[in-house]
Amino acid sequence: MKISCFSILVTVSLLFASFTASAKQPVKNAYLFAYFVGNGEDGLHLAYSYDGLEWKALKDGKSFLTPTVGKDRLMRDPSIVQGPDGVFRMVWTSGWWDRGIGYASSKDLVHWSDQQNVPVMEYEPTAKNAWAPELFYDKKSKDYYIFWASTVPSLHPNAPDSATEKGLNHRLYFVTTKDFRSFTPTKLFFDPDFSVIDGTILQKGREYMLFLKNETLRPVEKNIRVTATFDLQKGFVTQVSAPITGKYWAEGPSPLLVGSYIYVYFDKYRDHKYGAVRSKDGATWEDVSGKVSFPKGMRHGTAFQVSSAVLDTLLLVR
């Protein structure tokens, strides 16, 4: 069989064109959302998105990890951060009235280390709880920050309407660690003049933004606000913004950079659904709750970016 030089040239040209086209195709951004459903008994759930608007459950909505630590064996408010070593680390609320939090790590979000209790408030016997811990990795100091909400009655008076609020008057506390084996002593992280929970940090350029829930019942707040700093070690000013959410009760803010937007997702817990706002400048916010979709029953979690390879692996898990 004779093959002409022209045929060979055409074949080579087509192969080169195909290779060039595939090389020029941009890699898709991939985003994950760690969340819980119900009361948190069945553990960690994950959803994914390519655009920050449409979120779909992974593993057909089944749990990736069942909780084994804490008085109530819960896995509420999961917060996941991927460190510079590629390892994913997670903390969560392990029980309603625990003085510790849950911790585990994973290289692929499928296979997890043994779960541990981190006794962040055990030093304070009157501390009532340790709720909604959040992880943040600071590239500048190379420290992991873990911060959460606790009520210590001796430090702050009972919240107004304490029967409804169960006497809880929260402030944010924190520890830092480099290896999750040793931790700095627990200290106050954010101490405003109102009950505050659900703090979470987003770094954009040199600025650190702290999103939080004003937990005040009277007058009714129950909304998401933001404050900022350029020096994480100096902390955040307690003069917070006006609410960035609307006239509904919102909690569990989770910020995510998607293109030129800062998205903040949150649990509209009275309405039993999720919402979102977004901003390009961190000052003017647009409510896009009508433009986003989430898995049914999704509750307070954390959104974060991953490589498309990580998501491709998760899409195969059944």
Side-chain angles (χ1 to χ4, degrees):
M1 181 177 65
K2 293 183 178 180
I3 302 175
S4 68
C5 291
F6 177 76
S7 297
I8 294 174
L9 182 61
V10 169
T11 302
V12 171
S13 298
L14 288 173
L15 288 171
F16 179 77
S18 175
F19 173 79
T20 304
S22 62
K24 288 182 178 178
Q25 287 181 354
V27 177
K28 271 188 176 181
N29 288 325
Y31 306 101
L32 294 180
F33 210 120
Y35 64 99
F36 76 100
V37 297
N39 196 37
E41 296 96 335
D42 74 335
L44 172 67
H45 292 255
L46 294 173
Y48 73 97
S49 176
Y50 292 112
D51 61 4
L53 295 172
E54 182 183 20
W55 294 87
K56 296 180 180 179
L58 285 162
K59 202 179 176 184
D60 298 322
K62 296 190 288 288
S63 171
F64 279 78
L65 180 66
T66 302
T68 60
V69 298
K71 295 175 184 176
D72 302 318
R73 298 291 193 273
L74 301 179
M75 193 170 280
R76 298 171 63 90
D77 322 313
S79 175
I80 296 179
V81 163
Q82 186 176 23
D85 57 359
V87 175
F88 295 94
R89 293 175 170 83
M90 178 173 67
V91 294
W92 66 89
T93 305
S94 58
W96 285 105
W97 308 112
D98 286 355
R99 293 200 296 272
I101 59 174
Y103 166 73
S105 64
S106 172
K107 292 181 179 179
D108 58 7
L109 298 171
V110 179
H111 306 93
W112 288 86
S113 67
D114 291 340
Q115 297 172 38
Q116 302 174 35
N117 171 68
V118 184
V120 291
M121 294 300 291
E122 290 292 351
Y123 76 96
E124 176 51 72
T126 65
K128 291 189 174 184
N129 58 338
W131 282 2
E134 289 284 336
L135 267 178
F136 177 77
Y137 179 73
D138 182 31
K139 296 177 182 178
K140 184 177 178 180
S141 65
K142 297 182 172 57
D143 285 321
Y144 289 91
Y145 280 71
I146 308 174
F147 46 103
W148 64 92
S150 286
T151 288
V152 180
S154 60
L155 297 180
H156 305 285
N158 280 353
D161 301 291
S162 61
T164 304
E165 299 295 282
K166 299 179 181 178
L168 298 174
N169 192 359
H170 292 98
R171 297 299 186 270
L172 299 183
Y173 292 80
F174 82 110
V175 296
T176 65
T177 182
K178 292 185 183 295
D179 56 13
F180 289 86
R181 291 188 293 272
S182 61
F183 302 84
T184 59
T186 296
K187 295 180 181 178
L188 265 171
F189 184 71
F190 191 66
D191 185 17
D193 60 355
F194 55 86
S195 181
V196 57
I197 65 172
D198 297 350
T200 183
I201 293 175
L202 173 74
Q203 185 173 3
K204 189 173 187 291
R206 293 178 50 248
E207 185 177 42
Y208 301 87
M209 305 174 72
L210 174 65
F211 297 89
L212 53 94
K213 179 190 180 186
N214 184 331
E215 182 72 326
T216 305
L217 177 62
R218 193 178 300 273
V220 175
E221 294 292 347
K222 307 292 184 180
N223 48 45
I224 308 302
R225 299 175 182 245
V226 61
T227 182
T229 185
F230 288 101
D231 190 335
L232 191 56
Q233 293 186 352
K234 288 184 178 179
F236 294 86
V237 294
T238 55
Q239 182 75 28
V240 298
S241 72
I244 66 173
T245 49
K247 294 184 178 179
Y248 42 76
W249 288 22
E251 67 182 13
S254 181
L256 179 68
L257 288 173
V258 181
S260 59
Y261 283 106
I262 303 168
Y263 277 81
V264 180
Y265 309 100
F266 48 85
D267 192 345
K268 291 186 177 182
Y269 58 105
R270 272 195 154 188
D271 301 328
H272 305 290
K273 59 184 179 182
Y274 243 73
V277 294
R278 69 183 181 185
S279 173
K280 288 188 174 181
D281 59 8
T284 304
W285 295 87
E286 171 193 10
D287 196 312
V288 291
S289 297
K291 298 180 180 180
V292 292
S293 60
F294 300 93
K296 184 178 180 181
M298 176 171 155
R299 301 190 65 189
H300 185 166
T302 305
F304 54 104
Q305 186 171 345
V306 295
S307 70
S308 56
V310 169
L311 177 53
D312 289 344
T313 298
L314 293 173
L315 287 168
L316 299 176
V317 179
R318 292 290 181 266

